[in-house]
Amino acid sequence: MWQVAIVVGGGNIFRGSSWAGSSGLERSSADYIGMLATVMNAIFLQATMESIGIPTRVQTAFRMSEVAEPYIRRRAVRHLEKGRVVIFAAGTGNPFFTTDTAAALRCAEINAEVVLKATNVDGVYDDNPKHNPDARLQDNLTYHDVISKELSVMDLTAITLCQENNIPVVVFNLNKTGNIAKAIKGERVGTLIGDTWNTEAVVS
């Protein structure tokens, strides 16, 4: 039985790093607003999933008890064991850390087997495919490849955390129908960073 946890971002509503400095907004405050945006997305995602019969729980990195549970590791694991999808919101609860880092952290905490990085491209390329039509999609990469070549897959903190905990990362296109199911089932999709993986995932 697959156990799936989802770390949601909020960039479609508010991206803290983009707004820092605007109208005197400090980076910390901008990041907290971004975290609130992830909670909005998490609640919307929960409603959507439960409307099609998928039981879910939303857990936030800081307390918002009227709308979601606080993040408690043992409770999250218990929800997964009962077949519920757990949606992690509000990042790590700290400014200056990305959603990617939150995904890597939660993955390590709940002993998940892989991070599935859902994005808007087919995987990791050796160059920017938007600017170079000859850019090639990479099937496999090591953590060292990502770090040494400064590939913009995940931020350095996130990829280092995955490396230290031997957590593979699969980067794939969210917009292609069926890709999430393929990734969770272990079918070939996108780019694999690190070792092979099996059945328990955190989707970022």
Side-chain angles (χ1 to χ4, degrees), residues 26 92 171:
E26 294 181 357
T92 66
V171 183

Side-chain angles (χ1 to χ4, degrees), residues 2-151:
W2 294 301
Q3 298 177 5
V4 178
I6 302 172
V7 175
V8 291
N12 60 312
I13 301 173
F14 189 96
R15 191 177 299 277
S17 59
S18 300
W19 281 88
S22 300
S23 301
L25 190 62
E26 294 181 357
R27 174 63 188 273
S28 294
S29 297
D31 282 352
Y32 279 119
I33 297 171
M35 291 180 221
L36 293 174
T38 72
V39 177
M40 295 169 67
N41 279 338
I43 294 170
F44 194 100
L45 179 59
Q46 179 184 39
T48 302
M49 295 181 73
E50 291 196 334
S51 72
I52 57 174
I54 301 174
T56 70
R57 294 292 186 275
V58 174
Q59 292 196 343
T60 56
F62 45 73
R63 290 186 178 274
M64 302 180 67
S65 55
E66 288 78 10
V67 297
E69 297 179 3
Y71 170 67
I72 299 174
R73 176 190 170 277
R74 292 175 65 90
R75 182 178 291 176
V77 171
R78 185 62 176 150
H79 286 319
L80 292 170
E81 290 172 346
K82 289 184 176 181
R84 299 165 183 153
V85 172
V86 180
I87 304 171
F88 296 122
T92 66
N94 301 288
F96 301 100
F97 290 93
T98 67
T99 304
D100 286 341
T101 297
L105 177 62
R106 295 291 181 249
C107 191
E109 287 178 315
I110 65 173
N111 298 316
E113 295 178 4
V114 62
V115 169
L116 305 179
K117 170 73 175 175
T119 184
N120 57 3
V121 293
D122 290 332
V124 183
Y125 289 80
D126 59 1
D127 197 3
N128 189 334
K130 294 181 180 179
H131 301 138
N132 181 2
D134 296 323
R136 292 178 298 174
L137 179 65
Q138 307 295 294
D139 291 330
N140 292 84
L141 290 168
T142 66
Y143 305 109
H144 178 72
D145 289 334
V146 175
I147 295 170
S148 63
K149 297 177 182 178
E150 298 183 346
L151 300 175

Side-chain angles (χ1 to χ4, degrees), residues 2 4 116 118 170 172-174 176-189 197-199 201 203:
W2 294 301
V4 178
L116 305 179
V170 176
F172 67 97
N173 194 332
L174 173 66
K176 287 192 174 180
T177 302
N179 267 4
I180 291 179
K182 288 179 181 178
I184 291 175
K185 292 177 181 177
E187 297 177 18
R188 195 62 184 162
V189 61
W197 54 278
N198 197 351
T199 57
V203 181

Side-chain angles (χ1 to χ4, degrees), residues 124 141-143 146 153 159 167-171 191-195:
V124 183
L141 290 168
T142 66
Y143 305 109
V146 175
V153 182
I159 202 68
I167 301 168
V169 179
V170 176
V171 183
T191 302
L192 172 65
I193 303 168
D195 298 326

